[in-house]
Amino acid sequence: MAASSVQIVGTGQLLTLSRRLRAASGAPVQRNMARRIRRAAEPLHRDLQETIRGLPIRAQGRAAGKRGGPSPTTRPFRASIAAAVRITVRSTSAPGARVFLDKNLLPPDIPVGAVTQLNDGRLRHPVFGNRRRWANQYTQALWWDRVVRTHTPRMHSEVARVMDDVRRQIE
């Protein structure tokens, strides 16, 4: 599973229910369904943000005689990534919830690939922007995938419950 996107969709059932909902009941029931699906995905969204904020990232350490210095940015790396984790809900053509990393919300100096590397457990980057010197930093591998796996059964059951409730309303 890619570290940038998680989708909860019930391919056939959710799409069929969405069509019937549009035909039978209209906007208020659709908004209610979308709100409840969003509520089912919000714990995953929050947990992903909390996990990235508290993710320990270890460095190799400096070799003897090497110089160091302050970071060229004042922006916190993990907080910037956490702020870019978003949730969207659709109840029309492709109904479902999607929790993803919005690359447009990342600062320009943090590439989307950095988050994928963090999920792989190793972040390789140039030292202070110097593309001739590179450093490795390490973290827990598959942190994104682990959080998603933890929340997936609860989210599937919650979305199924929402679909059953809405199906009862429109029948």
Side-chain angles (χ1 to χ4, degrees):
M1 181 172 287
S4 62
S5 179
V6 178
Q7 293 186 26
I8 301 297
V9 291
T11 52
Q13 294 176 347
L14 200 52
L15 191 58
T16 304
L17 181 62
S18 176
R19 285 187 192 128
R20 289 178 55 201
L21 182 63
R22 215 178 7 243
S25 62
V29 178
Q30 275 185 321
R31 278 194 305 268
N32 183 33
M33 182 175 105
R35 182 175 40 83
R36 289 182 63 194
I37 290 175
R38 173 181 284 279
R39 237 187 283 149
E42 282 174 350
L44 171 63
H45 178 241
R46 278 192 307 271
D47 202 11
L48 282 169
Q49 288 179 324
E50 289 171 12
T51 302
I52 187 62
R53 282 188 187 108
L55 194 65
I57 300 176
R58 300 176 311 283
Q60 291 172 313
R62 280 192 208 119
K66 298 289 181 180
R67 289 178 281 161
S71 173
T73 63
T74 57
R75 168 197 35 76
F77 177 69
R78 288 172 285 212
S80 297
I81 293 173
V85 176
R86 290 283 179 233
I87 182 172
T88 60
V89 176
R90 292 180 66 175
S91 60
T92 55
S93 62
R98 182 172 174 233
V99 179
F100 66 103
L101 183 76
D102 189 349
K103 60 186 171 192
N104 296 324
L105 295 178
L106 284 174
D109 59 336
I110 298 179
V112 176
V115 180
T116 305
Q117 285 184 40
L118 279 177
N119 191 48
D120 292 340
R122 184 184 96 162
L123 176 61
R124 181 171 161 76
H125 61 90
V127 177
F128 296 117
N130 180 354
R131 308 225 23 107
R132 290 182 291 165
R133 289 192 59 207
W134 290 76
N136 290 313
Q137 291 182 291
Y138 302 94
T139 188
Q140 299 169 350
L142 304 175
W143 61 271
W144 178 283
D145 298 341
R146 194 174 302 120
V147 172
V148 170
R149 255 193 321 272
T150 303
H151 285 271
T152 299
R154 181 198 53 77
M155 289 174 62
H156 279 295
S157 65
E158 184 65 27
V159 169
R161 186 177 315 123
V162 169
M163 287 180 8
D164 288 343
D165 290 349
V166 170
R167 191 175 294 122
R168 270 186 251 119
Q169 279 182 340
I170 63 174
E171 288 178 345

